[in-house]
Amino acid sequence: MERNKSESKSGELSITKMTEISDPETRLKMLSEKASKVEIKHNIPPKRYYRSGLQLIRQADVYTKEGNYEEAYQLFVRFITLFVEKMSKHQLYHKVTAKEKESTKQILREVLPKAEELKKQLLKQYQDEERSRREEEQRLKEEEERKNKLAAMEAVRAKFADTDFLETKDDIKLPVKRFTPTPKPPKSLSIDSKPQSLKDNNIPRVDRSTKPTILSNDSSQLRDIILPNKLIQNFLSLAFNNTTNNKETCGILTGKLERNKLLITHLLIPQQTGSPDSCLTLNEEDIFDFQDNHNLITLGWIHTHPTQTAFLSSVDLHTHCSYQLMMAEAIAIVCAPKYDETAFFILTPEYGLDYIANCRQTGFHPHPTEPSLYTKAKHCKLDPTAPVEVVDLRRK
């Protein structure tokens, strides 16, 4: 769900702290606290949150099947927090239908035991990791002691090796000390230096970079979105008539989660109305039904600028804000056929997302240009071999 600027910063601190904390109970508590930091925006309709809730569950189920328990647990906790604690405080909650409320209650009945089971598994995982860490530290300590003993023995041998013997008339060998400097053993093996403490040693910790990362709005933590190359050309072909008539066309990017990557698998073209500088989606229920029937999650949107370059207008910024609040990685693709230009954007997580979410103006209106409100979506990766299915939901 939404992660504002302050949450992003606190989230980054939590990640750092969690990698340093060894106590399993404390690690689990910090994970739960971070996942429960959910806030709602009253200018975002409740329907958006209910749709986002379904996407949280779909992603959590995928993570569970893949054994990515940290990510799955966080998404379940986020869902529980949103619909048990937060949604009832939304200013438009009274407009939520009884059907939506009952459906969510049913999902909660299924999610609560799943989250509890994941919590038990994570605690065991953390306990196993802590035990392995302690065993590794003990092994390294014993290895260091062994090296120190060998260094001491080597130093003694070196002293005797530097001594010559002279023969006398009575065949008695007298030791004569060479006047050559005795080479000192390397610092790390010197018997004169105190053995390094366990704290001073560069002991490798458990590599948490290979563990599931915590979802955050920090661009460095965004999961990759894989975009099929052919999607752009397919979309431009469908939009050709509108482009010729100077009308914008839009489409919805949907797909699935797989191994912590978001794959765009379907391009949905909804019923819509277009003008030279705007496009309005109609009959959203058609989109929702298709996604629900195919277990798809929303990953962003795409639209044309028939006569302009590729950029995000003030209206585009507000449109995309609702996508990115629901899915941090959601992208906005702008195609400018006249200039043979296509660009992939996101609102800047550290400033733009929060700014637009709190902007109450509608229609075309000015926004400050500094700091930048949006930027290129660097987490979007093109795949020339990935398939895509185009579904045109427009009425014939």
Side-chain angles (χ1 to χ4, degrees):
M1 301 306 299
E2 174 205 345
R3 306 173 184 100
N4 60 29
K5 185 177 179 181
S6 61
E7 287 175 346
S8 177
K9 288 184 177 179
S10 62
E12 291 168 14
L13 291 174
S14 296
I15 293 172
T16 303
K17 289 179 180 177
M18 286 184 67
T19 59
E20 297 173 352
I21 290 175
S22 59
D23 177 60
E25 294 281 357
T26 304
R27 281 184 66 188
L28 188 57
K29 181 181 178 182
M30 288 186 66
L31 188 71
S32 299
E33 289 177 349
K34 184 176 187 303
S36 62
K37 289 183 178 179
V38 179
E39 297 298 332
I40 59 172
K41 292 289 184 182
H42 296 288
N43 58 326
I44 301 296
K47 180 181 290 188
R48 291 281 183 181
Y49 286 103
Y50 279 88
R51 290 302 306 173
S52 179
L54 293 177
Q55 298 199 149
L56 290 175
I57 299 304
R58 287 170 184 162
Q59 293 177 77
D61 287 339
V62 171
Y63 279 130
T64 302
K65 290 178 182 178
E66 294 180 349
N68 197 334
Y69 298 143
E70 278 187 338
E71 296 287 14
Y73 177 69
Q74 289 180 96
L75 290 172
F76 281 139
V77 170
R78 194 173 292 276
F79 181 89
I80 293 168
T81 303
L82 177 62
F83 292 104
V84 173
E85 300 178 16
K86 303 290 184 176
M87 258 335 282
S88 60
K89 299 175 184 177
H90 196 292
Q91 291 177 354
L92 299 177
Y93 183 68
H94 61 280
K95 291 188 176 182
V96 178
T97 66
K99 181 180 179 182
E100 285 176 319
K101 292 178 181 177
E102 183 55 39
S103 175
T104 303
K105 285 182 180 179
Q106 180 57 41
I107 295 174
L108 280 168
R109 294 188 192 102
E110 299 172 1
V111 166
L112 288 168
K114 287 182 180 180
E116 193 59 35
E117 180 59 29
L118 283 174
K119 186 176 181 180
K120 293 177 183 177
Q121 293 190 44
L122 279 174
L123 182 58
K124 182 180 183 301
Q125 174 185 318
Y126 292 162
Q127 290 170 339
D128 291 343
E129 289 178 3
E130 174 61 10
R131 182 167 53 254
S132 297
R133 185 184 68 82
R134 290 184 180 277
E135 290 173 354
E136 178 66 6
E137 287 183 347
Q138 181 61 30
R139 185 190 69 78
L140 290 169
K141 181 180 180 181
E142 293 173 356
E143 178 68 14
E144 182 66 21
E145 291 175 350
R146 186 183 69 81
K147 287 181 179 180
N148 286 337
K149 288 179 181 178
L150 289 175
M153 293 173 63
E154 185 62 31
V156 172
R157 288 196 195 97
K159 286 184 179 180
F160 281 105
D162 289 338
T163 302
D164 285 339
F165 291 88
L166 295 178
E167 292 188 9
T168 65
K169 290 181 179 179
D170 299 322
D171 239 6
I172 300 175
K173 294 182 179 180
L174 299 176
V176 177
K177 184 69 177 178
R178 284 182 184 173
F179 292 99
T180 55
T182 303
K184 294 182 179 180
K187 255 188 177 181
S188 60
L189 300 178
S190 173
I191 62 170
D192 296 324
S193 61
K194 295 181 181 179
Q196 293 178 316
S197 67
L198 194 61
K199 183 177 180 181
D200 295 331
N201 289 336
N202 187 22
I203 298 174
R205 299 282 181 179
V206 176
D207 184 9
R208 310 229 184 263
S209 64
T210 61
K211 304 297 180 183
T213 58
I214 295 177
L215 297 177
S216 74
N217 238 11
D218 174 22
S219 59
S220 66
Q221 298 294 330
L222 294 179
R223 295 166 292 183
D224 285 345
I225 281 189
I226 308 303
L227 175 71
N229 281 36
K230 63 180 69 175
L231 183 147
I232 305 298
Q233 190 56 50
N234 289 345
F235 174 68
L236 288 173
S237 297
L238 282 169
F240 180 77
N241 288 337
N242 280 346
T243 301
T244 303
N245 293 315
N246 195 24
K247 291 182 180 181
E248 285 193 4
T249 307
C250 67
I252 311 300
L253 309 172
T254 67
K256 60 184 179 179
L257 170 68
E258 188 175 287
R259 299 193 180 281
N260 211 38
K261 291 184 178 181
L262 299 164
L263 314 179
I264 296 175
T265 59
H266 291 73
L267 168 62
L268 309 183
I269 309 297
Q271 184 181 1
Q272 56 194 271
T273 59
S275 70
D277 53 18
S278 67
C279 185
L280 179 63
T281 299
L282 306 175
N283 289 3
E284 284 190 324
E285 292 301 325
D286 291 344
I287 302 172
F288 299 156
D289 288 343
F290 186 88
Q291 288 186 251
D292 292 343
N293 291 334
H294 294 80
N295 202 30
L296 300 171
I297 56 179
T298 304
L299 300 175
W301 64 302
I302 182 172
H303 73 290
T304 56
H305 280 181
T307 61
Q308 302 181 78
T309 58
F311 68 99
L312 291 182
S313 68
S314 59
V315 172
D316 294 340
L317 291 172
H318 281 266
T319 299
H320 186 63
C321 183
S322 62
Y323 284 95
Q324 199 169 327
L325 283 175
M326 300 300 116
M327 168 71 74
E329 291 84 357
I331 60 173
I333 303 178
V334 184
C335 300
K338 181 178 179 179
Y339 296 90
D340 192 22
E341 183 181 19
T342 298
F344 315 94
F345 300 118
I346 59 168
L347 293 169
T348 52
E350 67 280 1
Y351 178 73
L353 181 61
D354 193 53
Y355 182 92
I356 296 299
N358 287 289
C359 177
R360 295 295 180 266
Q361 297 187 61
T362 59
F364 289 97
H365 54 277
H367 287 132
T369 56
E370 293 295 336
S372 179
L373 293 174
Y374 66 97
T375 185
K376 291 183 179 179
K378 296 179 181 179
H379 65 296
C380 182
K381 315 294 182 184
L382 291 171
D383 187 340
T385 63
V388 64
E389 182 177 342
V390 180
V391 181
D392 195 338
L393 299 174
R394 292 176 293 186
R395 300 286 185 262
K396 301 297 184 181

